[in-house]
Amino acid sequence: MEIRNLYEKPISIAPLITFRVIFGAMMAFSAIRFMALGWIEDHFIRPKFHFKYFGFFWVEVLPDFYLYAIHILMIISALGVMLGAFYRLSAVLLFLTFTYTELLDLTYYLNHYYFVSIVCGLLIFLPANRCFSVDVLLKPQIYSEFVPAWTINILKFQLGIVYFYAGIAKINEDWLFHALPLKIWLPANDQLFLIGNLLKYEATAYFFSWTGMLYDCTIVFFLIYPKTRFLAYLAVIFFHVITGLMFQIGVFPLVMIGSTLIFFSEKWHWRWIDFLCRKINFSLLKDSKKQKNFVLKPIVLFFLGVHIIFQILFPFRHLFYDGNLFWTEEGYRFSWRVMLMEKAGTATFYVKDSKTGREGEVVNADFLNPHQEKQMAMQPDMILQFAHFLADHYAKKGIYKPEVRAEIYVTLNAKPSRLLVDPSIDLSKIEDTFEQKMWILK
Amino acid sequence: MKTTFFRLFLGFFIINAFFSCQKNNDAGKADFDRKAMLENFANNLIIPAYTDLQGKISVLQAATNQFTQNPDQNKLLVLQNAWEETYVAWQFANAYNFGVAAEEGLKNSLINEIGTFPVNETKINANIANNNTNLTDPNRDARGFLAAEYLIFDQKNNQNTILNNFSDAKRKSYLLALVNHLKSKTDEIILAWNGYKSSFVANAGTDVGSSTSQFYNEFVKSYESIKNYKVALPLGKSLGQTQALPNRVEAFYSGKSLKMINEHLTAIENIWYGKAKNGQEGIGFKKYLESVEGGNALILSTQSQFLAVKNAFAKIPQNVSLSQQITESPKNIENFYVELQKLNRFLKSDLSSLLGIAITYSSGDGD
């Protein structure tokens, strides 16, 4: 097999259409759900302080009206992607609105939001509207039944990365040999329909740990290989339904169950597209003339290469830092480490007036909602941001050159809690960088 | 490949089936009956606490009636004692502000409705002057136990001042209204719990909105209210304070702050142990911890810290009021605060993490 085939070979557009329709529908659903749950209010409007992403400190929370407008726009553009209507514009808007919303507050970071953001970005460049779309009705000349192979393979690659990296992250002592954190999480779900009682057994936690690791590491290969594909997909459904029932993980199971359909054959995809066409009386143009090889512009190839290399290497950046990754979380995010550890902290901040020497305890809940407080209390970069915020806030309130220190006790995977950062250090003097954070206690 | 894959998942079902048949074998099983814990909380802690409170309020009501009909020194003493006993009973009932004691029933939580402190003297006096006994407005700092306390105690402990004040008929009717309001809210909550109990016990998961999660959240809040509002704030340890605020203590007018803190701490400890007020042992967070990974270590730390808190409290002289000690010699109170601070994490993140209790609604990271 020539390597060019992986990106230039003409292949059927069908899987890409399915992906576009399902992904667009899910995005619309998830944005509607987000609004309906009142999360715009809870996540963005009510909190007095927002944690920023490194390098994105300039992203501001807009006034309420704009936040709602952006969500409506997100829903419209998601439907635009689904229908293939003004596709490029829709995809750009979907990417921008979704990514903006994610960048508003670091404490809501989820790996699957990162995944969705990447996919939205990729969709901008994929010719997913060239068939079975409103755009084709408007401009029939764009119709094509073939697309260059990279446009589908890049999505398979992205899914592969998610699963595979989630799998290798599970290869660690706690996960495999102590069944942690599943030993904590499973018994907490003993009220679950049918399987609840099983979850009380320690052996079940070990079994789930190993199966989960093997599943994540191998499922993509079983999905690629045609003979195992169907069973593998059943496993995908089974796995995500179970985790979806047990854990509070929102729409993520749906996203994965929907997205992995891209591994199915063109025949399978045409079957349901044709079925849908008959149902809604939509006629595809259908020209089956043989498509010659696509030739990719070097610039496209270049950016594709950069993206792929970045996706492969970036999750390994933690190797540059000393210490236990789960404890320091330096290089933890954007690396597909999902549901890997049970970690929680109690963070008490003290602010001192450097003139009077008077020190007072902060009530975190005065500034943060419970979710923000929970996330902040165990993640060093957020602790630092909050300390800086407190210093600024209380300087304005008249405290002279405030010194901020924090007593933070963190428990990781059911081990007794210990101090996360040096409680004597003035956190307001420390800047967050990519360098090793020496103020995190080992 | 296909067969390996198939075997893997077949294996899963076989193992599942195997365990299903082994239900009675307890080895390696985290067997904790959360329903039994909830039942214990409901039957032996929550409902008795409300019932006890209801009884004490009835006595308080009778004493109030007696007193307002014909105020004198003796009736005032009886009334003051009745208030003190009522407020002690409340320390055992103030941690359960969820379900029917929060949004589901009362528009505001029970503790906000009848347990707000500090009270606003200006508002209370204005209500009296205007003969406004309609206690349904948002001014919760003009009603509740501590508004009644303000009326029937004198901070300088001059009983004559109180008696003189009560020559005002409007003051009498306001006090009556306050006590009747306490009675009606307590009656309401007991009635509501009769209907709520079964769903409280049945909702036995650990997700947000489950009874365990709601109960746990309010338990922590109740504990933190001791640390933050009953101790740290009057002591001047809250941020932004330039001085101590001794008049912000709970039960300021009666000077019973220390006694109430002690009772409240006992109530918190009882919840952790699952122990009823009458001493009857039951299932609580301690038993729950015994069944989970890392639980025994946390039990030891929590118990020794409970002890440290008690020892620190024991060093505080009980014959001088908390507000006076804060003004004059805060050292003992400061030590007490430090020990309370140390206990915080054992009741907060360490406990919820080991038990796997969800505390927020937001989605977690997907698998």
Side-chain angles (χ1 to χ4, degrees), chain B residues 239-263:
Chain B
L239 193 48
Q241 287 187 278
T242 49
Q243 54 181 18
L245 295 170
N247 58 349
R248 289 286 299 269
V249 296
E250 177 191 34
F252 171 64
Y253 306 100
S254 60
K256 302 286 178 196
S257 318
L258 284 169
K259 177 176 185 175
M260 296 307 162
I261 288 173
N262 193 29
E263 299 287 351

Side-chain angles (χ1 to χ4, degrees), chain A residues 111 183 187-188 190 198 200-203 207 248-249 252 338-339 342 345-346 348 358 361 394 409 414 417, chain B residues 12 16 19 23 28 30-31 34 206 227 237 239 241 337 341 345 349-350 353 360-362 364-367:
Chain A
N111 282 288
K183 221 191 268 177
D190 60 2
L198 285 182
K200 291 182 169 187
Y201 293 93
E202 204 163 272
F207 183 75
Q248 206 173 296
I249 50 179
F252 177 70
V338 288
M339 304 291 283
E342 168 61 39
T346 297
T348 316
R358 194 177 185 94
E361 181 190 333
Y394 284 103
Y409 283 92
S417 58
Chain B
F12 177 82
N16 262 359
F19 279 114
K23 265 178 199 162
D31 212 357
R34 229 175 283 110
T206 51
K227 177 176 82 71
K237 292 289 173 190
L239 193 48
Q241 287 187 278
Y337 164 68
Q341 183 63 46
R345 69 179 194 274
S349 54
D350 284 14
S353 185
T360 67
Y361 281 96
S362 311
D365 224 335
D367 199 309

Side-chain angles (χ1 to χ4, degrees), chain A residues 5 9 20 42 44 69 122 125 132 164-165 190 195-196 200 228 244 277 344 348 381 400 423 432-433 437:
Chain A
N5 282 348
K9 189 183 165 193
R20 185 199 83 205
D42 291 347
F44 307 126
L122 290 171
F125 305 100
F132 193 54
F164 187 70
Y165 277 63
D190 60 2
I195 60 166
K200 291 182 169 187
T228 53
C277 287
T348 316
D381 56 345
Y400 183 76
D432 193 10
T433 62
K437 295 176 169 59

Side-chain angles (χ1 to χ4, degrees), chain A residues 316-429:
Chain A
F316 285 112
R317 70 190 183 287
H318 68 93
L319 295 175
F320 291 111
Y321 302 103
D322 287 339
N324 174 3
L325 173 64
F326 288 6
W327 182 254
T328 65
E329 298 203 32
E330 294 180 278
Y332 191 88
R333 276 175 229 127
F334 306 107
S335 308
W336 319 112
R337 293 174 213 286
V338 288
M339 304 291 283
L340 261 188
M341 55 182 184
E342 168 61 39
K343 196 179 180 192
T346 297
T348 316
F349 287 81
Y350 300 91
V351 178
K352 189 169 168 181
D353 186 311
S354 34
K355 198 188 278 165
T356 65
R358 194 177 185 94
E359 190 176 67
E361 181 190 333
V362 178
V363 177
N364 297 333
D366 288 349
F367 306 102
L368 307 177
N369 70 24
H371 178 83
Q372 290 177 306
E373 182 176 357
K374 179 183 163 211
Q375 294 295 325
M376 179 275 292
M378 58 178 173
Q379 300 181 52
D381 56 345
M382 297 182 189
I383 288 164
L384 206 55
Q385 279 195 41
F386 190 52
H388 280 255
F389 161 77
L390 290 172
D392 293 345
H393 178 82
Y394 284 103
K396 275 184 217 136
K397 291 253 165 180
I399 290 182
Y400 183 76
K401 287 195 182 156
E403 287 170 24
V404 183
R405 58 182 199 93
E407 211 172 75
I408 298 164
Y409 283 92
V410 172
T411 165
L412 176 59
N413 281 349
K415 287 179 222 14
S417 58
R418 24 184 211 107
L419 283 171
L420 179 66
V421 302
D422 183 348
S424 64
I425 207 164
D426 180 1
L427 294 169
S428 70
K429 299 278 188 301

Side-chain angles (χ1 to χ4, degrees), chain B residues 269-335:
Chain B
E269 206 179 353
N270 282 357
I271 293 174
W272 189 80
Y273 279 100
K275 199 160 77 178
K277 195 183 176 189
N278 62 21
Q280 184 197 323
E281 304 273 346
I283 305 170
F285 289 127
K286 178 173 176 273
K287 267 265 154 17
Y288 197 167
L289 279 172
E290 282 169 8
S291 78
V292 303
E293 180 81 11
N296 287 322
L298 182 56
I299 289 174
L300 290 178
S301 326
T302 311
Q303 284 176 324
S304 74
Q305 193 52 37
F306 266 131
L307 196 65
V309 166
K310 273 189 207 155
N311 288 339
F313 186 84
K315 294 213 176 75
I316 302 173
Q318 298 296 303
N319 51 354
V320 187
S321 79
L322 177 60
S323 50
Q324 199 179 334
Q325 291 192 54
I326 287 173
T327 321
E328 289 162 8
S329 56
K331 195 75 211 128
N332 289 317
I333 317 291
E334 270 164 15
N335 291 339

Side-chain angles (χ1 to χ4, degrees), chain B residues 142-216:
Chain B
R143 58 178 179 259
F145 298 106
L146 298 152
E149 184 213 9
Y150 168 66
L151 296 183
I152 62 173
F153 285 93
D154 173 57
Q155 215 261 321
K156 296 186 192 75
N157 206 12
N158 187 338
Q159 301 288 71
N160 286 328
T161 317
I162 307 166
L163 288 171
N164 287 341
N165 286 339
F166 270 100
S167 56
D168 180 1
K170 286 190 280 190
R171 199 176 182 88
K172 290 179 189 165
S173 57
Y174 196 68
L175 179 64
L176 279 167
L178 288 177
V179 175
N180 290 340
H181 173 254
L182 292 176
K183 181 72 168 55
S184 76
K185 287 295 158 191
T186 315
D187 291 348
E188 211 175 284
I189 207 75
I190 288 174
L191 194 67
W193 255 94
N194 283 338
Y196 177 62
K197 196 185 116 183
S198 57
S199 68
F200 173 77
V201 173
N203 186 3
T206 51
D207 52 324
V208 188
S210 65
S211 299
T212 305
S213 166
Q214 295 190 59
F215 183 93
Y216 163 81

